Amino acid sequence: QVQLVESGGGSVQAGGSLRLSCAVSGDTTSSYCIGWFRQAPGKEREGVASIHIGGGNNYYADSVNGRFLISQDNTENTVYLQMNSLKPEDTAMYYCAADLYDRCWSRGPSRLLAVAYGYWGQGTQVIVSA
């Protein structure tokens, strides 16, 4: 079992920044992937970014590429999502999720699909006002 706990959400004005954290614990291996997803009311869950723990090779959705940065802190088993130049359309509940397939890095762009992830956190709310 893997446990994921998100934090760092909040309210910010357009153009501002937030950093989300995903604390990972439990039965992880040396190679797995963490993804950040978001879901706005009335919309489908959208993959935002994915990082391969143990090898790099990150993926970003086109809508956030160049504004968001996913990173890891191995000593704290934490994955971060630095969100800059926030827009009102970034408003959503943000979730982190774990894909424990040891070759998850090989999924390519499919790493931004929710179906690849078997473990999910409870989410943290991000609100961006105009």
Side-chain angles (χ1 to χ4, degrees):
Q1 290 293 323
V2 174
Q3 294 78 43
L4 304 158
V5 179
E6 304 96 335
S7 61
S11 296
V12 65
Q13 289 189 328
S17 298
L18 283 173
R19 189 178 76 161
L20 305 184
S21 299
C22 174
V24 184
S25 60
D27 298 330
T28 59
T29 64
S30 61
S31 176
Y32 61 99
C33 291
I34 294 291
W36 280 99
F37 294 79
R38 65 186 182 186
Q39 188 166 19
K43 294 188 177 182
E44 293 187 355
R45 191 166 294 192
E46 172 192 19
V48 174
S50 175
I51 186 168
H52 172 222
I53 306 299
N57 186 352
N58 304 337
Y59 274 95
Y60 296 92
D62 290 342
S63 58
V64 306
N65 198 16
R67 299 190 297 123
F68 291 11
L69 178 68
I70 190 170
S71 62
Q72 64 181 93
D73 182 336
N74 289 335
T75 61
E76 296 183 354
N77 290 331
T78 301
V79 173
Y80 301 100
L81 185 69
Q82 177 67 43
M83 306 187 296
N84 300 321
S85 302
L86 283 162
K87 304 174 182 180
E89 51 263 44
D90 294 318
T91 294
M93 184 71 79
Y94 282 72
Y95 302 87
C96 65
D99 174 3
L100 301 187
Y101 176 45
D102 62 355
R103 292 175 59 85
C104 62
W105 51 268
S106 67
R107 297 191 195 277
S110 295
R111 282 168 51 187
L112 295 182
L113 298 180
V115 68
Y117 295 80
Y119 298 90
W120 292 82
Q122 294 299 308
T124 185
Q125 181 71 49
V126 172
I127 298 173
V128 184
S129 57

